[in-house]
């Protein structure tokens, strides 16, 4: 398992149990949406001073792993 994924936490009762970054109330989905809206990593880090560049990488890796579905063949 990639150590970046250790930065993603899920705690019942925090943010509805959604994946967050390092136990903070910053949801992975929020970071991914900002990136999708062309907000740069630099801007995200400026807006969230507790975040580190590796946190953004962890969000991207988490999303990539969640969309890695097995390939079906006929």
């Amino acid at each position: 398992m990639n150590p970046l994924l250790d930065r993603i936490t899920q705690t019942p009762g925090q943010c509805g149990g959604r994946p967050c970054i390092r136990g903070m109330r910053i949801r992975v989905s929020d970071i991914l949406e900002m990136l999708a809206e062309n907000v740069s990593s630099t801007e995200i880090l400026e807006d969230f001073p507790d975040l580190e560049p590796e946190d953004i990488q962890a969000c991207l890796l988490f999303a990539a792993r969640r969309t890695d579905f097995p390939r079906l063949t006929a």
Side-chain angles (χ1 to χ4, degrees):
M1 187 164 134
N2 191 311
L4 279 176
L5 293 177
D6 291 339
R7 292 174 171 269
I8 307 300
T9 57
Q10 286 183 272
T11 306
Q14 180 181 2
C15 295
R18 292 182 181 95
C20 294
I21 300 168
R22 292 185 289 123
M24 297 183 279
R25 294 187 178 274
I26 302 171
R27 297 180 304 176
V28 169
S29 61
D30 294 333
I31 300 302
L32 294 173
E33 285 180 24
M34 285 187 267
L35 291 169
E37 293 170 0
N38 289 321
V39 178
S40 71
S41 295
T42 302
E43 290 175 286
I44 293 171
L45 294 171
E46 288 172 359
D47 289 343
F48 297 90
D50 291 332
L51 287 183
E52 300 170 355
E54 293 83 3
D55 295 325
I56 295 173
Q57 289 178 291
C59 290
L60 292 169
L61 180 59
F62 181 83
R65 295 275 174 97
R66 295 292 293 252
T67 60
D68 188 19
F69 297 105
R71 186 174 152 190
L72 300 176
T73 58

